Amino acid sequence: MSAAKTKQNISLNQLPPGKNIPGTAIVVDAFKYRNPDFLYFLSHFHQDHYGGITKNWSDGPIYCSQITARLLRHVLDVPEQYIKSLPQNEPVDLNAECRVTLMDANHCPGAHVLIFDVKTDESVKRYVHCGDMRYEARMKCWPSWFRDGALVDVETVFLDTTYCNPRYKFPKQDVVTAADDTPPLAQAQRRTLFVVATYTIGKEKVLHEISTACGDLCIYTSPDKKEILNLLDLPYANIFVREPRESSVHMITWGKLGEMVPGGWRFLPNWGFAQEYLDWANSLLSDDVPKFTHLAGIVPTGWTWEFQKQHGTGSLFHCTMKPGQEHLCIYEVPYSEHSNFEELREFVEFLKPARVVPTVVGKSGNAGKLAGYFRDLVDSRKSFQLGFNDLFAGEWTFNFS
Ligand SMILES: [Zn+2]
């Protein structure tokens, strides 16, 4: 994000919805909006959330988790004086009025749900900012939700609404990672090179499952990416190697194998890249090593699931082969690190907040409509008191991860 795109001396009421924690100067994932009086929080290290931070950052401390702090140093070279790492699972007093607790968001490494408790004259109000989150039922057991055995009242949930539509019913993560309908893995007589699309961080669990399924196979990653993986406290970090000849499973940058069809829910493979990659991997092998005959790309995403269900074979993993050249194929795997629609509803039903503020709204989307999906689950008495004025105006981001 260039400095030219940032907005200077913004006041709190000029921020887009979902960025400011009411009654405080805290702003979450809002680094394009500058004001030295803001208290900046970064929920996790994905570009659509940290956009605006550069090595020249000087607008005050950035509060984040310990893993995210390492990434700010290593990837963005943010000056140490501006990085404030916070522990996980422990409440921390930011000042006399505000306490925050970071809880694992089951998104990428270092991603956290931020629970803010804000003192007012009469009471303490609780705000839950999800950043990006993949809800799991075990999150209901977090001790932070309870005081003296009772659920603490939540005023607002700022919800990761990336998949906030009843059409998004992709399976739970463990269903996907435990699936055994992976034909390429079973085709041992072929020399298949597996190429897995990933972001800078995120979806490492998919790689771990592949490694385990293949008998603790090591996985190739670029030296740059290996350095980043070493910062993430992954218990399985030793499966990643920097030598491509040591593995038939390679991690590659998201977007290389293809992209989503604009405006749709289908994946458009980049067969040219797939062939080039296969040729490159084979060029590294010495003459006495059998060459790879096939390439299987693996794209973990929740976006294509509904299209797959309607048009696919019923398999959990949707395979597309290059017409006429079936040594190249791409598997779309419905693995997501965002909550599906049912999980979003379950989370809101559990917390019963007074209101839900969507943090991800499509360019043509409607935040009021998204919030409406939860209207039967919020605490209507508290909602009525709060009112709904001006909740759903402003600028929105669209998260395509
Ligand atoms: Zn994210």
Side-chain angles (χ1 to χ4, degrees):
M1 183 65 59
S2 71
K5 288 186 179 170
T6 62
K7 297 176 183 174
Q8 305 291 333
N9 295 318
I10 290 286
S11 62
L12 287 171
N13 59 15
Q14 291 175 294
L15 288 168
K19 299 291 189 192
N20 173 235
I21 302 304
T24 73
I26 293 168
V27 297
V28 181
D29 299 344
F31 301 95
K32 288 187 291 180
Y33 306 95
R34 298 295 180 78
N35 186 321
D37 294 332
F38 287 175
L39 222 50
Y40 288 93
F41 271 76
L42 175 58
S43 66
H44 67 292
F45 197 76
H46 276 160
Q47 206 279 336
D48 52 337
H49 294 256
Y50 69 66
I53 304 178
T54 67
K55 63 180 181 180
N56 300 319
W57 177 265
S58 61
D59 281 77
I62 299 169
Y63 291 91
C64 60
S65 68
Q66 289 161 356
I67 288 175
T68 303
R70 287 178 212 151
L71 294 163
L72 285 173
R73 286 183 202 109
H74 179 84
V75 181
L76 296 182
D77 217 4
V78 173
E80 191 62 35
Q81 72 202 86
Y82 296 116
I83 300 175
K84 299 285 180 204
S85 73
L86 298 171
Q88 183 176 290
N89 304 332
E90 275 177 41
V92 174
D93 289 328
L94 290 170
N95 51 43
E97 287 80 40
C98 188
R99 175 173 286 183
V100 64
T101 313
L102 274 60
M103 303 301 295
D104 181 8
N106 191 33
H107 183 63
C108 64
H112 285 84
V113 171
L114 309 170
I115 304 174
F116 294 101
D117 292 309
V118 179
K119 248 187 215 165
T120 66
D121 289 343
E122 323 86 59
S123 62
V124 176
K125 290 195 186 326
R126 170 162 284 198
Y127 302 95
V128 177
H129 199 296
C130 296
D132 281 350
M133 177 187 80
R134 179 78 195 248
Y135 168 81
E136 285 189 333
R138 63 183 164 83
M139 291 176 172
K140 290 180 184 173
C141 301
W142 288 347
S144 317
W145 298 134
F146 305 97
R147 194 171 299 131
D148 300 328
L151 190 72
V152 177
D153 262 359
V154 174
E155 175 158 315
T156 303
V157 172
F158 298 90
L159 194 63
D160 168 13
T161 41
T162 300
Y163 289 108
C164 185
N165 187 299
R167 77 160 72 95
Y168 295 124
K169 291 179 191 156
F170 47 79
K172 293 197 172 294
Q173 284 179 333
D174 54 357
V175 172
V176 179
T177 52
D180 59 2
D181 55 346
T182 49
L185 299 178
Q187 292 169 351
Q189 74 278 20
R190 296 176 172 176
R191 278 276 288 161
T192 301
L193 175 65
F194 299 99
V195 181
V196 186
T198 59
Y199 306 111
T200 304
I201 59 167
K203 309 200 178 181
E204 293 79 8
K205 282 179 261 182
V206 174
L207 275 304
H208 183 220
E209 290 297 333
I210 291 172
S211 167
T212 306
C214 297
D216 295 327
L217 191 72
C218 60
I219 289 174
Y220 162 69
T221 185
S222 69
D224 287 353
K225 173 107 182 183
K226 171 72 177 159
E227 279 189 30
I228 290 172
L229 289 165
N230 286 343
L231 301 174
L232 307 182
D233 292 343
L234 301 173
Y236 46 85
N238 61 340
I239 66 172
F240 300 111
V241 296
R242 294 189 298 184
E243 171 49 66
R245 281 169 287 209
E246 283 182 25
S247 179
S248 56
V249 180
H250 292 193
M251 288 171 96
I252 57 158
T253 307
W254 189 262
K256 296 274 190 190
L257 280 173
E259 56 191 8
M260 304 302 298
V261 175
W265 294 277
R266 283 185 299 135
F267 186 77
L268 197 61
N270 183 343
W271 296 121
F273 172 82
Q275 184 63 56
E276 277 172 27
Y277 197 89
L278 182 62
D279 293 343
W280 171 76
N282 276 332
S283 74
L284 302 175
L285 301 176
S286 55
D287 291 342
D288 57 337
V289 175
K291 303 285 187 210
F292 293 111
T293 57
H294 292 68
L295 179 142
I298 296 176
V299 178
T301 178
W303 286 114
T304 57
W305 175 243
E306 283 313 301
F307 186 85
Q308 282 173 226
K309 268 205 320 197
Q310 288 169 28
H311 303 276
T313 58
S315 166
L316 198 56
F317 299 171
H318 178 249
C319 178
T320 307
M321 288 189 175
K322 183 176 183 189
Q325 286 187 287
E326 297 184 352
H327 66 293
L328 300 178
C329 67
I330 289 179
Y331 284 81
E332 293 154 52
V333 175
Y335 179 91
S336 176
E337 293 186 334
H338 297 274
S339 310
N340 68 24
F341 183 70
E342 287 166 352
E343 290 161 348
L344 290 175
R345 295 250 320 156
E346 189 175 327
F347 184 61
V348 173
E349 184 174 29
F350 168 64
L351 287 182
K352 284 195 178 40
R355 66 181 170 187
V356 171
V357 175
T359 60
V360 184
V361 178
K363 285 196 172 95
S364 58
N366 179 320
K369 181 178 170 193
L370 294 182
Y373 285 127
F374 307 97
R375 207 146 278 160
D376 60 319
L377 303 177
V378 297
D379 186 324
S380 52
R381 277 178 307 114
K382 287 187 283 179
S383 308
F384 183 75
Q385 288 161 12
L386 275 173
F388 287 95
N389 296 340
D390 303 319
L391 271 180
F392 307 119
E395 182 183 329
W396 297 91
T397 60
F398 186 51
N399 187 341
F400 221 70
S401 62

